[in-house]
Amino acid sequence: MDSKQKLLVIIGPTAVGKTNLSIEMAKRYNGEIISGDSMQIYRGMDIGTAKITTEEMQGIPHHLIDIKEPEENFSVAEFQQLVRAKINEIAGRGKLPIIVGGTGLYIQSVIYDYQFSDVPGDEVFRMELEERAKQIGNEALYTELQAVDPESAEQIHPNNVRRVIRALEIFHLTGKTMQDYQSKQQPDLLYDTALIGLTMDREMLYERINLRVDIMIEQGLLDEVKSLYQKGLREYQSIQAIGYKEIYDYLDGNVTWDTAVSQLKQNSRRYAKRQLTWFRNKMDVQWFDMTNVNDFAKKIAEISQYVEGKLQVKSNTY
């Protein structure tokens, strides 16, 4: 039987330090990095998504960044297909694929053997929902999904009616949310995976998130969002990202600048909390506490020891 492809996955909430760790791991294990972030795929959305810069990459190849225009949609199924192809491509070069990001559902869809086609269907119910969407509007249907399956609703844009209907259809047929249904499938890991999670003292993490927002604003976040706003981009999946929707509210004249910044920080903190909840409930993660960031070298050694034991790989001397 063929052995599984080795794969390193680094997850954790926003601002916890995934980028710095991933660069060190890529250097150490001759790796290439695949972005596991559902918003860094969009061109022209750099500051608000905390997209890694060329300088920060330190020569390490990065994939699935800047592959879509903001007006294009991006699905879990497409992400699954693209990342699995990249894993094969990177491995074919004799490199270690490293997925890094915070979008739990997307990463989960890649590393586990989920067969989306196995989820049952009900054509009559689906047609009824399609007709209701025309009559009561997309937002009302989305509100129904939020009531029965808030986790899926978090991942779906209200105007992506097809996905909203699909999630409602699964709940109608199984009495379970999309994630609950998939978890009952008990899928196997497709890869020989070292799944590392980074965590941190909650107050420290929130301070880092607030600071990150301040830095984004200094770097020109308002101008970045204005460029999208002035192009008339509005009802798109990309514009619903944290950091963009809050400033759209400001540009629309609905809130003051201070309120927009306060909401951006608050929404970012809430998102980090949801990320941690997701990872702890949905994935078998080996956690590492990054609270003592001043002792980064020691933390790197600790994580490396785990990776080498789990994947049976040796570090480079550099």
Side-chain angles (χ1 to χ4, degrees), residues 253-272:
N254 297 330
V255 298
T256 66
W257 174 248
D258 287 346
T259 299
V261 172
S262 177
Q263 288 176 344
L264 171 49
K265 290 179 177 179
Q266 183 182 63
N267 289 339
S268 297
R269 295 192 300 267
R270 286 175 175 171
Y271 179 57

Side-chain angles (χ1 to χ4, degrees), residues 151-216:
E151 231 170 20
S152 293
E154 183 69 34
Q155 303 284 335
I156 302 172
H157 188 277
N159 287 332
N160 194 337
V161 181
R162 181 181 60 81
R163 285 193 65 201
V164 170
I165 289 175
R166 185 64 176 136
L168 286 169
E169 180 184 21
I170 291 169
F171 185 80
H172 165 73
L173 286 166
T174 67
K176 301 181 179 69
T177 66
M178 189 183 297
Q179 284 302 304
D180 284 341
Y181 179 83
Q182 289 176 347
S183 68
K184 294 298 185 292
Q185 293 178 303
Q186 296 181 328
D188 296 322
L189 281 166
L190 284 177
Y191 306 97
D192 181 7
T193 308
L195 182 52
I196 290 171
L198 305 186
T199 186
M200 182 177 285
D201 171 78
R202 187 66 58 89
E203 290 306 313
M204 178 179 286
L205 179 63
Y206 287 174
E207 287 175 11
R208 285 167 64 95
I209 289 170
N210 290 340
L211 177 60
R212 171 177 278 191
V213 171
D214 290 337
I215 292 171
M216 286 177 175

Side-chain angles (χ1 to χ4, degrees), residues 282-309:
K282 303 291 184 183
M283 304 169 85
D284 185 14
V285 181
Q286 181 70 32
W287 291 99
F288 293 91
D289 192 329
M290 306 297 287
T291 300
N292 189 2
V293 290
N294 293 326
D295 204 357
F296 190 59
K298 185 177 180 181
K299 190 60 62 175
I300 289 289
E302 181 186 346
I303 293 171
S304 297
Q305 185 177 20
Y306 172 76
V307 171
E308 289 165 23

Side-chain angles (χ1 to χ4, degrees), residues 105-140:
L105 175 63
Y106 280 57
I107 294 171
Q108 191 180 27
S109 75
V110 170
I111 65 177
Y112 292 101
D113 188 20
Y114 282 124
Q115 303 295 328
F116 294 119
S117 59
D118 288 347
V119 182
D122 183 334
E123 188 173 352
V124 174
F125 181 75
R126 190 161 58 244
M127 290 172 66
E128 288 175 0
L129 290 181
E130 289 169 356
E131 186 59 34
R132 280 172 56 206
K134 294 175 185 175
Q135 293 174 357
I136 64 176
N138 299 347
E139 194 68 42

Side-chain angles (χ1 to χ4, degrees), residues 6 8 25 28-29 194 196 300-316:
K6 297 180 190 302
L8 174 57
M25 291 293 103
R28 198 169 280 247
Y29 300 111
I196 290 171
I300 289 289
E302 181 186 346
I303 293 171
S304 297
Q305 185 177 20
Y306 172 76
V307 171
E308 289 165 23
K310 182 72 173 175
L311 296 182
Q312 298 299 302
V313 292
K314 294 182 179 180
S315 64
N316 298 325

